[in-house]
Amino acid sequence: MLIAPAAGMLAAKQDQLGLAYLRLSLRLDPARNEAWLMVGDLMESAGDIDAARAAYGKPKPGSPEYPAAVSKLAWSFQNAKEPETALKMANAAASSGDRDARITYADLLRANDRYDESAQVLSNLIGDDPNPDWRLLYARGVSYERSGRWPEAERDLQGALKQRPDEPELLNYLGYSWIDRGERLPEALGMVQRAVAANPQSGAMIDSLGWAHYRLGDYKKAVQFLEQAVELEAGDPEINNHLGDAYWRVGRRIEADYQWRRVLTLDPDDKIKADVEAKLTSGLGPKGPATTSRVAGP
């Protein structure tokens, strides 16, 4: 009776009242695991990581809520830049054979750039299923793409999209991958346009749309969309890098130089950093940048 109104209060952003109801429900029944998970989420959002972890640690092995609790606990360590602890915890939970725990382990492996291992965990989950869950195909497709196994990635992403043809994240990921590879550009443009229509405030998806126009040679329109993307995702090094490229192509060389220098202040990865440093020295060649760009993924 108390948990239901607590959930309603949390949905209405009345966190303090919701927390009071949850605390009362747990005083009456300390074994209400779903209430502990909700308390953990509230504590984590408030920045009290120790209290969040204590709440996530309440569900016991064998309970229906235990896999979700371990997942949240592991991600709290990942977000605190303790990946070894997170992976060890997730691996231990996955060894039980629980499906959700194995998915969590695959997600954490991917978050730590261990793409081949993530793909293997997902392959074991998918097995010989002739119609696997589209989310598993999407996740494995991302792992394959990040590890340079494009044919396998393309197969999985297309398989996932066949099941969910209107899923914005899928449309964006596969469409952007084709755009960045210079393949199937008209089709890919249509895909990212549909993704943006579904999520008009997504800087990553608007960046994909701008990059599509860039690859198609419509640099003025590329600037228009990439400026919107930077407004929404000002701290993203890849989007700022794209905007610098587009500025260069339309002759706005001083602004291009500024954008590229800004990228170096945004903690870019080594590949982006090397690309930007080369452009700051020599500008862009006649065919534009050859770097592979960021794609939003799970």
Side-chain angles (χ1 to χ4, degrees), residues 172-233:
N172 182 64
Y173 202 103
L174 180 56
Y176 184 84
S177 296
W178 279 335
I179 291 161
D180 208 51
R181 296 173 66 85
E183 299 173 359
R184 303 172 70 159
L185 292 177
E187 180 182 358
L189 173 62
M191 292 166 66
V192 296
Q193 285 174 328
R194 289 166 58 197
V196 169
N199 285 301
Q201 295 303 307
S202 169
M205 292 182 183
I206 294 172
D207 171 65
S208 297
L209 183 53
W211 201 236
H213 286 293
Y214 182 95
R215 289 297 198 191
L216 287 163
D218 191 344
Y219 301 124
K220 289 184 179 180
K221 190 166 285 188
V223 167
Q224 173 189 336
F225 287 113
L226 292 170
E227 285 180 336
Q228 292 179 30
V230 166
E231 287 180 8
L232 291 166
E233 298 285 349

Side-chain angles (χ1 to χ4, degrees), residues 44-183:
E44 184 165 34
S45 66
D48 191 342
I49 302 302
D50 290 338
R53 290 175 181 172
Y56 293 148
K58 292 295 184 179
K60 304 300 181 187
S63 67
E65 297 81 11
Y66 181 70
V70 172
S71 174
K72 290 173 180 289
L73 192 56
W75 276 106
S76 80
F77 284 100
Q78 174 69 24
N79 294 334
K81 301 189 185 305
E82 299 180 59
E84 291 183 5
T85 301
L87 286 167
K88 182 177 180 180
M89 187 176 297
N91 188 22
S95 65
S96 69
D98 181 86
R99 181 178 183 274
D100 290 339
R102 293 162 74 189
I103 292 173
T104 294
Y105 184 45
D107 289 343
L108 280 164
L109 286 167
R110 189 168 59 255
N112 287 284
D113 300 337
R114 293 167 62 173
Y115 302 119
D116 285 328
E117 293 171 79
S118 178
Q120 185 58 58
V121 172
L122 292 165
S123 292
N124 292 338
L125 273 167
I126 292 170
D128 297 323
D129 188 344
N131 190 32
D133 188 320
W134 70 271
R135 287 162 293 197
L136 297 181
L137 287 175
Y138 181 22
R140 189 173 67 175
V142 171
S143 294
Y144 281 148
E145 188 271 332
R146 298 285 173 85
S147 61
R149 299 164 66 179
W150 174 242
E152 294 148 295
E154 186 178 40
R155 179 200 64 205
D156 276 356
L157 293 169
Q158 287 179 305
L161 195 61
K162 185 176 181 180
Q163 294 184 42
R164 295 290 293 252
D166 297 318
E167 181 63 36
E169 292 288 342
L170 274 172
L171 287 166
N172 182 64
Y173 202 103
L174 180 56
Y176 184 84
S177 296
W178 279 335
I179 291 161
D180 208 51
R181 296 173 66 85
E183 299 173 359

